[in-house]
Amino acid sequence: MAPAPARHLLLLLPLLLAAAPAGADDLVAELQSLRARSPSGVIHLTDTSVTRFLSAPASRRPYSVLLFFDAAALHSKPDLHLPQLRTEFALLAASFHDRNPGSGDLFFADIEFAESQHSFHQFGVNSLPHVRLIRPEHSTLAGSEQMDQSHFGRLADSMAEFVESRTGLEVGPIVRPPLLSRNQIILLGILFLISIPFAIKRVIEGETLLHDRRVWMAGALFVYFFSVSGGMYGIIRHTPMFLTDRSDPDKLVFFYQGSGMQLGAEGFAVGFLYTLVGLMIAGVTHLLVKVESLQTQRFAMMAVIAIGWWAVRKVIFLDNWKTGYSIHTFWPSSWRIWNHPH
């Protein structure tokens, strides 16, 4: 039987081995294991794992980590787009792993504010969205490289450009999931084949929606409203419909003063005014001329003029309030009395 001191040493040996700092290969193997267990390849970190994997000396940290900072409490803020950016970050990670299977050079991870406030403080993060690249040469967490806001513009594609320019690793094309699953495509195909005879019968009889002029009229109005309201601009730029007032979180801001940004509500408001004037002019030229009562025509024309004047004045006022641009009235020079010879 071993002496008492030797028995104590044998009992303490596993604890000493567990407490000993892990080597570079051990950390890489552990990160690869955590990545394999994540459906998207994004490793979830906490304060403890940040200390283990990101605060280790460079000699034991031969890998880079792209870290996404998240806050579940702010997912309801439409101007931050955190859920969408988190989804795009997962697509970025999955695309990188598809092109670089088993890579130990770069890992993708996220961290949540409510459970890792200490790490947020260490990185100096005070606003979201926020992404950091921690490379082996970064000796401190605060000294790591922050992804610029411009790299969120095209979502995963612009994030990939940031990763490739900073790490020299190739992400490859972003692989996005199809809109429809295989079973859904098969079901839609079957329904389409079944509907072909019925569709042919209605086309021959002239009873389709394409034969209804009201549908064409509604489509034309939609295209016009969509155009003048800046709908395509909002889709391309991912413009929020409204913002939350910084001074009062319970208050919503629908109109933003300043030419550098346009909210969706602003475009829809101006588009409504444009469409209103267009509909009134169409009503006057196509419907009002068919009314026999002269008194009704005069009353309708006065109403159209008054509403049109209000709508145009409102558009001019909003444009001046937002951009500072003013519309001035210029009279023909021949109308000015002082220009006539005495």
Side-chain angles (χ1 to χ4, degrees):
M1 185 175 181
R7 291 200 303 271
H8 294 163
L9 183 60
L10 291 174
L11 293 173
L12 290 175
L13 186 58
L15 298 176
L16 293 174
L17 291 175
D25 294 340
D26 297 331
L27 292 178
V28 171
E30 191 171 347
L31 285 171
Q32 289 175 332
S33 177
L34 292 172
R35 181 177 64 192
R37 293 200 294 266
S38 173
S40 62
V42 178
I43 303 169
H44 183 67
L45 299 181
T46 60
D47 286 338
T48 304
S49 50
V50 164
T51 302
R52 178 172 178 80
F53 296 116
L54 302 183
S55 299
S59 59
R60 294 190 292 107
R61 186 166 46 87
Y63 50 81
S64 299
V65 175
L66 191 68
L67 184 59
F68 182 90
F69 293 82
D70 198 5
L74 299 180
H75 281 190
S76 59
K77 301 290 184 180
D79 53 317
L80 297 181
H81 304 288
L82 285 180
Q84 181 188 17
L85 291 175
R86 176 60 181 79
T87 301
E88 292 292 316
F89 187 81
L91 290 177
L92 173 68
S95 300
F96 176 82
H97 297 146
D98 288 343
R99 188 173 185 84
N100 307 275
S103 172
D105 298 322
L106 176 64
F107 296 92
F108 296 81
D110 66 357
I111 189 170
E112 209 280 324
F113 175 75
E115 61 186 20
S116 305
Q117 297 186 27
H118 178 66
S119 295
F120 271 68
H121 177 73
Q122 283 185 304
F123 279 99
V125 177
N126 51 27
S127 64
L128 296 178
H130 196 102
V131 175
R132 284 288 184 96
L133 177 63
I134 304 94
R135 292 183 290 186
E137 58 266 27
H138 293 143
S139 57
T140 61
L141 298 181
S144 56
E145 186 173 5
Q146 177 183 350
M147 181 185 292
D148 190 76
Q149 293 294 321
S150 62
H151 289 101
F152 295 122
R154 292 186 294 110
L155 305 175
D157 296 283
S158 51
M159 293 185 196
E161 293 176 359
F162 171 81
V163 171
E164 291 177 344
S165 63
R166 298 306 191 276
T167 64
L169 301 172
E170 190 172 354
V171 177
I174 301 300
V175 181
R176 299 183 180 276
L179 296 177
L180 299 174
S181 66
R182 180 174 176 272
N183 292 335
Q184 289 174 328
I185 294 175
I186 293 175
L187 178 61
L188 290 177
I190 295 174
L191 293 177
F192 175 74
L193 293 175
I194 294 175
S195 65
I196 288 178
F198 300 96
I200 293 175
K201 179 177 180 294
R202 294 183 67 88
V203 169
I204 294 175
E205 296 176 352
E207 296 179 354
T208 66
L209 290 177
L210 297 179
H211 292 84
D212 191 344
R213 62 181 181 178
R214 291 172 297 182
V215 174
W216 288 97
M217 183 182 299
L221 287 175
F222 172 77
V223 171
Y224 178 78
F225 175 79
F226 189 76
S227 302
V228 298
S229 65
M232 184 57 67
Y233 172 88
I235 293 175
I236 296 174
R237 299 286 185 176
H238 302 282
T239 304
M241 187 62 63
F242 52 83
L243 297 175
T244 303
D245 194 342
R246 295 180 181 272
S247 58
D248 186 4
D250 296 329
K251 183 180 178 182
L252 299 179
V253 177
F254 294 94
F255 290 85
Y256 181 86
Q257 189 171 14
S259 58
M261 181 178 183
Q262 175 182 309
L263 299 178
E266 297 178 24
F268 286 149
V270 174
F272 167 76
L273 295 175
Y274 273 109
T275 306
L276 176 64
V277 174
L279 285 174
M280 289 192 303
I281 294 176
V284 168
T285 56
H286 290 81
L287 300 178
L288 190 58
V289 293
K290 298 179 180 180
V291 177
E292 297 181 356
S293 173
L294 185 61
Q295 184 177 1
T296 302
Q297 287 184 342
R298 289 174 178 174
F299 177 79
M301 282 299 302
M302 292 299 296
V304 167
I305 292 173
I307 297 174
W309 177 84
W310 170 83
V312 174
R313 184 173 181 272
K314 201 69 176 176
V315 171
I316 295 173
F317 169 78
L318 289 174
D319 184 51
N320 175 261
W321 174 81
K322 186 172 181 64
T323 65
Y325 177 77
S326 300
I327 295 179
H328 304 280
T329 303
F330 295 92
W331 298 100
S333 58
S334 60
W335 291 12
R336 300 176 184 175
I337 299 177
W338 54 85
N339 285 340
H340 289 278
H342 295 287

